[in-house]
Amino acid sequence: MKDVKETLLERTSVRRYEREAIPAETMEFIFRAVENTPTSYNGQQFSVIDIDDQELKLKLYELTNQKQIKTCNRLLIFCSDYNKISLLAKRKGVDMPPFTNTMDGVTIGIIDASLAMMSAVVAAQAAGLGNNCIGYLRTVDPAKVAELLKLPRGVFVVCGLALGIPREQPDLKPKQPTSTVFFRNEYRHDTEALTDELAEYDRTVQQYNRTRSGGTTDNDWCAHIIDYYRHAMDYRILDYLKAQGYDITH
């Protein structure tokens, strides 16, 4: 088991895996870490679908063209979930308010599922597994993914996590410097200096992409991420959320 420093500071996204299975005790450790995730009100507004069915993984791969989905040993899909508490409330005769129709309700489910996924990432990393977060499972074809996973109303996909014995060790990606992430007591307002530091980071990312092991690109940080935003403007997530019982009004 890796120590905390190595686990957190040397994490990379691994997309190529060996064929061997993940030991059962390692998956049990990951499950226990996920179960102990801090959540809003201890409401635990999330659930996880653990996929080891290769046929199902192939169907998800065909939708996303993300190779790590079909080659990973296990694919965990983290979902926002208000179905479970709704079922129990109905049995107990407790009136369930339309919390899923509020932005706070949507946000809480996303936060809980995201925290749970990070618990899994840390546990997997500590255990020496390769892992890769796959947000495209949320956006590629939400209705089809919901159909494949047989999601009831009140449940939607937040993110996927591919797990496996690593076949590669990617270079560590450069992250924003501390000065552009952590601000003391209030948001940072020296705009010119902040922009200068971000511009320097932008150049660092471009140099990394030009020289990294594996496939190289000329991508910077700013334009590349904004291009993603532009592409994501076409996603119809609100329509999908409404179909899953999240009719957001406020």
Side-chain angles (χ1 to χ4, degrees):
M1 193 72 68
K2 298 179 182 179
D3 64 24
V4 173
K5 183 176 181 181
E6 184 181 6
T7 295
L8 294 176
L9 301 188
E10 297 182 12
R11 185 209 62 80
T12 59
S13 294
V14 173
R15 294 175 173 83
R16 298 178 67 237
Y17 309 100
E18 303 291 353
R19 292 183 179 275
E20 63 187 284
I22 299 171
E25 59 271 22
T26 301
M27 290 305 304
E28 184 68 14
F29 168 60
I30 293 170
F31 293 162
R32 296 293 81 78
V34 168
E35 288 172 354
N36 198 40
T37 296
T39 61
S40 301
Y41 322 121
N42 194 36
Q44 302 158 77
Q45 287 90 189
F46 75 92
S47 56
V48 186
I49 298 177
D50 173 21
I51 300 176
D52 61 1
D53 184 316
Q54 190 62 24
E55 183 177 344
L56 178 54
K57 286 193 289 178
L58 287 172
K59 289 178 181 178
L60 293 169
Y61 162 71
E62 288 167 3
L63 283 176
T64 62
N65 200 34
Q66 300 281 306
K67 188 176 181 180
Q68 62 271 35
I69 289 177
K70 69 175 180 179
T71 60
C72 68
N73 181 250
R74 303 286 274 272
L75 177 64
L76 304 184
I77 299 186
F78 292 80
C79 302
S80 170
D81 188 347
Y82 287 95
N83 177 61
K84 293 183 291 186
I85 195 165
S86 297
L87 290 174
L88 183 57
K90 183 178 180 180
R91 174 174 290 184
K92 296 185 68 172
V94 177
D95 182 48
M96 179 73 178
F99 190 46
T100 54
N101 294 349
T102 70
M103 273 305 301
D104 192 39
V106 174
T107 301
I108 283 172
I110 292 172
I111 291 171
D112 284 3
S114 300
L115 288 170
M117 184 177 69
M118 196 60 208
S119 293
V121 168
V122 172
Q125 193 77 16
L129 294 182
N131 57 89
N132 177 237
C133 301
I134 308 172
Y136 198 32
L137 282 165
R138 180 187 73 255
T139 57
V140 60
D141 188 341
K144 184 61 178 179
V145 172
E147 177 188 338
L148 288 171
L149 301 180
K150 301 178 181 177
L151 302 183
R153 287 175 65 83
V155 181
F156 69 86
V157 171
V158 173
C159 199
L161 179 65
L163 299 174
I165 309 299
R167 185 182 286 186
E168 63 177 358
Q169 185 54 57
D171 296 335
L172 194 65
K173 290 182 180 179
K175 302 296 184 181
Q176 289 184 35
T178 301
S179 60
T180 67
V181 177
F182 295 93
F183 308 146
R184 182 69 58 82
N185 295 324
E186 62 181 23
Y187 197 89
R188 186 175 169 183
H189 292 286
D190 53 339
T191 304
E192 286 300 315
L194 176 58
T195 306
D196 286 345
E197 291 169 40
L198 291 170
E200 179 60 31
Y201 172 68
D202 197 58
R203 290 188 287 270
T204 298
V205 170
Q206 189 168 49
Q207 180 61 22
Y208 163 82
N209 285 328
R210 287 169 172 168
T211 60
R212 66 185 182 182
S213 60
T216 59
T217 72
D218 201 42
N219 291 336
D220 62 3
W221 175 68
C222 181
H224 181 63
I225 297 302
I226 287 176
D227 186 58
Y228 165 76
Y229 297 160
R230 191 173 292 111
H231 176 72
M233 293 290 290
D234 294 331
Y235 297 151
R236 307 294 299 179
I237 301 301
L238 184 59
D239 292 342
Y240 164 63
L241 289 178
K242 288 180 178 180
Q244 289 301 112
Y246 292 74
D247 192 9
I248 304 165
T249 59
H250 64 284

